[in-house]
Amino acid sequence: RDLHLSLRRQRQMCIRDRYSLGYRISSIMLVFVVQPFMLAWPVVMFRVAREEGAKEIYRNVLTYYVLVALWIALALSVFSREIITIIAPPVYHSAYRVVPLLVLSAFFAGAFYVVSVGLNIERKTGYFPLIIGSAALVNIGANYLLIPAFGMIGAAVATAFAQLIVVIATWGISRKYYMVKYDSKRILHTAIVALFIFAVSRLFAMVELGVVYYAIVDAVLVLLYPVFLYITGFFNEEERLAINGYLIRLKGKLKIR
């Protein structure tokens, strides 16, 4: 019995350590994307509130946040396997499986700051403790249900799900006081493209290749993200003209050199 308990404890510690490693990789998203955005956004948000087209600006901010943040999240998710394979011993290599879910949780954390604009502008911040507290209870309950069956994956799912609830609840309450019509069509478009690229990456991961080959394939896939968005009609006419102009200028500079 003592041996059984000892083995069980070691297994739990190993799962915890793998989850911790996956969390450290995903925290790159928090440190370099979400936290800088969190610090800059309040100043911009309240300054924009005085402008005539404030709601249109807020609408575009969420669209472009999703565009950029999902690109970074996608890169971390697809490269997590290579990173962990290089920096960690084989016993921890499965930690890459939790990274996409934890990165998604960080992505939702950033989106929360955008969709909370109505509560901040209308000074209804008293809702925040209720929303975050409710999500924390959901997280605890989900952990209780999912961890015994799914281990670290269950914990990562619970975290991402709780953070998604925060975003949805904040958006739902905020729109009652300050209605911003976010571009759900383009946001969904971005999510579908990112999910497709991630799925293709995982399909390639099923083939036995070396770390270098995985890295090359994933790099190509990540770089194709804006290309797929362009050819599938994500960008509007103004954005396409701006992109085409930039590419023409870049091509001219490369020719000069």
Side-chain angles (χ1 to χ4, degrees), residues 194-206 217-218 221 228:
L195 184 61
F196 171 75
I197 293 174
F198 177 74
V200 173
S201 172
R202 283 293 178 259
L203 286 175
F204 274 104
M206 296 172 65
V217 170
D218 287 339
L221 288 172
F228 284 155

Side-chain angles (χ1 to χ4, degrees), residues 20-72:
S20 178
L21 176 59
Y23 178 82
R24 287 199 294 272
I25 299 297
S26 67
S27 66
I28 295 172
M29 179 82 174
L30 283 170
V31 173
F32 293 102
V33 179
V34 176
Q35 289 179 0
F37 179 78
M38 177 184 68
L39 293 172
W41 174 238
V43 177
V44 176
M45 175 180 63
F46 287 111
R47 186 177 63 201
V48 167
R50 298 190 293 268
E51 298 184 13
E52 185 176 346
K55 292 185 178 182
E56 183 65 22
I57 294 173
Y58 295 141
R59 168 189 168 99
N60 290 332
V61 167
L62 182 61
T63 300
Y64 293 135
Y65 168 81
V66 172
L67 171 68
V68 176
L70 267 187
W71 195 2
I72 298 170

Side-chain angles (χ1 to χ4, degrees), residues 67-231:
L67 171 68
V68 176
L70 267 187
W71 195 2
I72 298 170
L74 177 65
L76 282 172
S77 297
V78 301
F79 279 110
S80 59
R81 182 173 182 176
E82 291 93 314
I83 294 170
I84 291 174
T85 299
I86 292 170
I87 69 172
V91 69
Y92 294 108
H93 286 182
S94 63
Y96 81 92
R97 295 166 60 199
V98 301
V99 173
L101 290 165
L102 295 176
V103 166
L104 188 63
S105 177
F107 165 80
F108 288 144
F112 158 75
Y113 288 100
V114 184
V115 300
S116 64
V117 60
L119 296 181
N120 284 303
I121 290 175
E122 298 298 329
R123 299 187 179 184
K124 302 294 181 179
T125 55
Y127 282 104
F128 289 141
L130 176 63
I131 293 169
I132 295 171
S134 299
L137 291 175
V138 170
N139 192 12
I140 292 170
N143 274 303
Y144 179 79
L145 293 173
L146 297 175
I147 289 178
F150 303 103
M152 63 179 183
I153 298 296
V157 169
T159 301
F161 180 65
Q163 197 63 60
L164 176 60
I165 286 177
V166 170
V167 174
I168 293 174
T170 302
W171 169 75
I173 297 172
S174 183
R175 68 197 299 266
K176 293 181 179 180
Y177 298 99
Y178 189 85
M179 182 65 178
V180 178
K181 295 181 179 180
Y182 295 111
D183 198 339
S184 56
K185 183 178 179 180
R186 292 219 292 171
I187 290 171
L188 181 61
H189 189 150
T190 311
I192 290 172
V193 170
L195 184 61
F196 171 75
I197 293 174
F198 177 74
V200 173
S201 172
R202 283 293 178 259
L203 286 175
F204 274 104
M206 296 172 65
V207 182
E208 290 298 328
L209 299 171
V211 175
V212 175
Y213 292 103
Y214 285 133
I216 293 172
V217 170
D218 287 339
V220 171
L221 288 172
V222 170
L223 291 173
L224 284 174
Y225 170 80
V227 177
F228 284 155
L229 287 174
Y230 187 91
I231 64 179

